[in-house]
Amino acid sequence: MQQSASLNGLASSLAVSFPEKEQQLLELYKRSQQEQSAFTTVLVENELFTSKALADYCEAQFGIPLLDLDAIEINEIPQSFLNEKLIFKHHVLPVYSQNQTLYVAMADPSNVSALEDFGFSFGLHVEALLVEENKLSKAIQSLVDDSANLDLGDISDEDINDLEVSEENSRLDEKQNNKEDDAPIVVYINKILMDSIRRGASDLHFEPYEHKYRIRFRIDGILHEIASPPINLANRFSARLKVMARMDIAERRLPQDGRIKLKTGRNKAIDMRVNSLPTMWGEKIVIRILDSSAANLNIDILGYDDKQKQLYLNALSRPQGMILVTGPTGSGKTVSLYTGLNILNTVETNISTAEDPVEINLPGVNQVQINNKAGLTFAAALRAFLRQDPDIVMVGEIRDLETAEISIKAAQTGHLVLSTLHTNSAAETLTRLLNMGVPAFNIASSVSLIIAQRLARRLCEHCKKPKMLEAELLPKIGFSAEQIAQGIKLYEPVGCDKCTGGFKGRVGIYEVMPMSSEIAKLIMAEGNSIQIAEQAINEGMYSLRMSALEKARIGVTSLSEVERVTNV
């Protein structure tokens, strides 16, 4: 039980009671700490325990009575106790007060700090009520959904600002935007931003039209309309967002770029990249959320099959060479690269990255933010890296011949180089380098692996339903004889209160192509991308379409999502 010493509270108790699960508990506990998620949530999501089994264990172990949270009307909970910052920090929910005692629902009764924080905030004695994890998460999520549907009329002066702008932004805010009339706008924008973070959105769109204003979130790669406030507030919305992003609020004729840094907890901050664009009816503002804490760098959950995973690990284990990841914007290339860097990140290696922007903060890696205006380009950063005694170099994107040539030179001189390109397939990556002007022999001798990828939405495990399909249609769709022989279980989305339109989360679809001697010969013979792709498939590579169909075969995604992602 040596490992249980690194656990505490509920995790330690479970490790003692279930010694056969100690290693799994340790891994999930570490993940909950890294992701700043509730340990009980991670346990249930990873199916180590069901919500009911966990609640029964806690009831017997800690002697706290089990409460059925379904019997509580969430809408009737006193608003004065709904401190969202504490609720989401501790994953607990205050339900009622009686005789100077506040009762809070929690799935982890060992979380004493939650009781202390609520007691300090409200000046009351606090008692714990044990509830099932899934019901607690659902109740807390309902609070998020309610905040997303707020109209400006619902916001009063008593609303608490749940989201703190960084100190530098705050000083600018005080100078340029201190009108009392803007207080409801400030609170409304803050609630929208906080809601986008909680719902896992990657982008926010603030869009003015002639008779309408629309706010949309991109969740799991798909845009959803969240709110439609009055159009006469368009200029005030854009002014508030531009103040937060330190942009020129007087300039409305030209596009602008800015950044917002938001503190959502004592030790957590989220970066947002902001761009404004003049349109016919006002300024459209798009915000990209760069939440490095939300990125899970575990290769086992990204979606690689066993063969693809092993090819990637083999390429990472080589002392030199180039690994290229390709795909459209938002296809998860950065997460794939950083998953590899996370595996390689040890005290024995010197890792340097050049990125625009730096999206994921990884301790132990020397990350450089590209600044083209100051002359710090990808090529300039690469030259500096080669004088910094590097072992591993990551280039955010190969955009031109100069960057490509320096990257290949580094790969040929004893360094492992990781980078991205924007092409549609693994085979097209090689022809793109040729078209840039890179000599064929340099490509053949330096590139070791190419990964093309897309992101498909995962079917919700709680509501997906089987989809019946006639057997003769399966080969026409693209399923191989081997896949049909293994058995095909197709599902389709339904939609429930735990997901968005029948989908929750995303999974990677990959095309992993190692550099073989035959492919190298094709490059030297100036073969085209079609010939290279055919050779790679003959050698056992799964195309993007084949990989997507495999995810549908095992019930991870739907056929409609396969069609959308692979565009066939």
Side-chain angles (χ1 to χ4, degrees), residues 99-140:
N99 298 328
Q100 294 298 305
T101 299
L102 176 64
Y103 293 89
V104 298
M106 57 200 312
D108 180 0
S110 69
N111 187 0
V112 179
S113 62
L115 306 181
E116 293 174 348
D117 281 1
F118 272 92
F120 179 79
S121 295
F122 298 108
L124 298 172
H125 176 67
V126 182
E127 291 284 347
L129 296 172
L130 181 64
V131 296
E132 294 176 37
E133 162 60 34
N134 58 343
K135 294 181 179 180
L136 177 61
S137 294
K138 180 181 176 180
I140 292 176

Side-chain angles (χ1 to χ4, degrees), residues 156-174:
S156 67
D157 293 337
E158 297 177 356
D159 280 310
I160 298 175
N161 187 348
D162 298 318
L163 174 140
E164 179 186 350
V165 186
S166 67
E167 187 176 345
E168 192 172 12
N169 293 134
S170 296
R171 288 196 295 267
L172 188 66
D173 192 1
E174 291 173 5

Side-chain angles (χ1 to χ4, degrees), residues 543-564:
S543 67
L544 285 169
R545 173 76 173 182
M546 295 162 67
S547 295
L549 286 172
E550 179 63 17
K551 294 295 188 297
R553 184 188 74 82
I554 60 178
V556 173
T557 191
S558 66
L559 281 179
S560 61
E561 190 68 1
V562 170
E563 297 297 329
R564 183 185 73 85

Side-chain angles (χ1 to χ4, degrees), residues 241-242 244-245 247 256-260 272-276 285-288:
L241 289 168
K242 288 165 74 175
M244 294 176 72
M247 296 155 67
Q256 294 187 67
D257 291 300
R259 295 179 77 93
I260 299 174
M272 295 183 171
R273 188 175 63 197
V274 185
N275 177 267
S276 68
I285 294 181
V286 175
I287 300 175
R288 165 65 61 90

Side-chain angles (χ1 to χ4, degrees), residues 262-330:
L262 300 175
K263 295 180 181 177
T264 58
R266 185 176 299 175
N267 299 311
K268 183 180 179 182
I270 292 176
D271 285 321
M272 295 183 171
R273 188 175 63 197
V274 185
N275 177 267
S276 68
L277 178 71
T279 67
M280 285 184 63
W281 309 109
E283 288 182 285
K284 173 175 178 175
I285 294 181
V286 175
I287 300 175
R288 165 65 61 90
I289 298 176
L290 308 175
D291 184 7
S292 60
S293 65
N296 196 322
L297 305 180
N298 184 347
I299 193 171
D300 292 321
I301 68 170
L302 292 185
Y304 291 97
D305 65 31
D306 291 340
K307 181 180 177 182
Q308 292 172 335
K309 172 185 170 182
Q310 194 57 50
L311 287 170
Y312 191 17
L313 292 176
N314 290 345
L316 289 170
S317 67
R318 297 179 62 175
Q320 64 185 50
M322 178 181 288
I323 300 173
L324 296 173
V325 182
T326 183
T329 300

Side-chain angles (χ1 to χ4, degrees), residues 240-472:
R240 169 60 183 164
L241 289 168
K242 288 165 74 175
V243 164
M244 294 176 72
R246 304 184 66 211
M247 296 155 67
D248 184 356
I249 62 173
E251 179 56 76
R252 299 181 180 178
R253 301 166 299 171
L254 297 173
Q256 294 187 67
D257 291 300
R259 295 179 77 93
I260 299 174
K261 187 171 186 178
L262 300 175
K263 295 180 181 177
T264 58
R266 185 176 299 175
N267 299 311
K268 183 180 179 182
I270 292 176
D271 285 321
M272 295 183 171
R273 188 175 63 197
V274 185
N275 177 267
S276 68
L277 178 71
T279 67
M280 285 184 63
W281 309 109
E283 288 182 285
K284 173 175 178 175
I285 294 181
V286 175
I287 300 175
R288 165 65 61 90
I289 298 176
L290 308 175
D291 184 7
S292 60
S293 65
N296 196 322
L297 305 180
N298 184 347
I299 193 171
D300 292 321
I301 68 170
L302 292 185
Y304 291 97
D305 65 31
D306 291 340
K307 181 180 177 182
Q308 292 172 335
K309 172 185 170 182
Q310 194 57 50
L311 287 170
Y312 191 17
L313 292 176
N314 290 345
L316 289 170
S317 67
R318 297 179 62 175
Q320 64 185 50
M322 178 181 288
I323 300 173
L324 296 173
V325 182
T326 183
T329 300
S331 60
K333 299 188 297 297
T334 302
V335 173
S336 283
L337 286 178
Y338 263 91
T339 298
L341 291 181
N342 193 45
I343 294 171
L344 298 169
N345 187 16
T346 65
V347 293
E348 293 86 10
T349 56
N350 177 22
I351 304 176
S352 296
T353 74
E355 303 167 74
D356 185 20
V358 175
E359 295 187 32
I360 297 175
N361 179 28
L362 191 61
V365 174
N366 306 291
Q367 298 171 274
V368 175
Q369 170 70 54
I370 294 302
N371 186 343
N372 289 311
K373 291 182 179 179
L376 182 55
T377 62
F378 282 114
L382 264 173
R383 289 195 197 93
F385 288 168
L386 296 179
R387 295 190 290 271
Q388 289 270 318
D389 184 31
D391 297 301
I392 299 160
V393 171
M394 195 269 269
V395 185
E397 183 183 350
I398 295 178
R399 297 176 179 173
D400 51 48
L401 177 59
E402 184 181 17
T403 306
E405 287 180 334
I406 301 173
S407 300
I408 285 176
K409 179 183 177 182
Q412 292 174 330
T413 55
H415 306 94
L416 181 62
V417 179
L418 293 82
S419 189
T420 71
L421 275 87
H422 286 287
T423 59
N424 293 323
S425 67
E428 289 177 45
T429 303
L430 296 173
T431 55
R432 174 65 59 84
L433 290 172
L434 287 169
N435 293 336
M436 280 185 180
V438 180
F441 64 87
N442 278 343
I443 298 174
S445 63
S446 59
V447 176
S448 57
L449 186 74
I450 301 174
I451 301 173
Q453 68 179 77
R454 303 288 189 274
L455 288 177
R457 291 180 293 170
R458 284 182 182 269
L459 284 165
C460 175
E461 292 295 331
H462 297 93
C463 66
K464 67 180 182 180
K465 69 176 183 179
K467 178 182 178 66
M468 304 305 296
L469 209 62
E470 297 177 3
E472 58 267 22

